[in-house]
Amino acid sequence: MRGRVPVRDPGAVRDRGAATVHAATVAVLLVVVGLLLVQATSLVQMKHRVAAAADLAALAASRASVEGEDGCQAAAAVARRNGARLAACRMDFDVATVTARATSPRWWGGRWATEQRARAAPESYVTP
Amino acid sequence: MTRRRDDGMVTAELMTVAPFGVALAFLLLWIVSLGLTQVRLSDAARESARMVARGESTQAATDMARRHAPGRASVEVTTADGEVTVTVRTRSRMPLPFFSGIGSRSLESTSVAAQESP
């Protein structure tokens, strides 16, 4: 059909290269979706890291408190060694409740932060 | 004037471009799977650090980390100054039959815990 259209410049209606354009569009879309997936994965990764830091920091704080040391200081040290920052720390006798926090690197012009709370005792042990 | 017909040109172009698209999709999935491997490594490191901190044997913690980490992971447990450091490493390979060497990366995760019983 296309070949029979009478035009002055036959090159103008040829669809050579049309698939390349579509392929480029699909490739760009794939890359964008891929980047979003990569970012989602790295945020999940960060959440797990922060959860581990909070968990271990709460345990360290309670242990230090039992030994008569400063619990929150121990928690801060352990959280830092695990790649997170201690955002909040409260001691109810020897029970530590800590919140660890980490911030993602800059993505799409913004940063994401994760916070995880951990408590080194069952809720009923010492009611805050 | 000879007029070349370009019927079927799109199909031909698509056939040359398609492998690149498939390769790109594979690459992206591979990167995501590396991230998930890293998550599993950090969970394994955390759990075994907790175990050692609680006073269980290094052997038990190592076995636990090996069970939880993907692939054939190596586990390194060091205890110093009342702190337990567990590093879990694994080599992540591309899930391809002949090209598993391409993009094979070694990943690691470290957790630090305070020891409970001195």
Side-chain angles (χ1 to χ4, degrees), chain B residues 69-90:
Chain B
R72 255 172 289 160
S74 70
V75 185
E76 190 189 315
V77 180
T78 40
T79 314
D81 304 331
E83 267 186 349
V84 185
T85 309
V86 177
T87 306
V88 186
R89 282 191 193 86
T90 193

Side-chain angles (χ1 to χ4, degrees), chain A residues 82-101:
Chain A
N82 282 292
R85 205 164 52 76
L86 205 65
C89 172
R90 198 185 59 226
M91 305 295 302
D92 304 304
F93 303 103
D94 286 334
V95 177
T97 311
V98 301
T99 305
R101 183 185 167 89

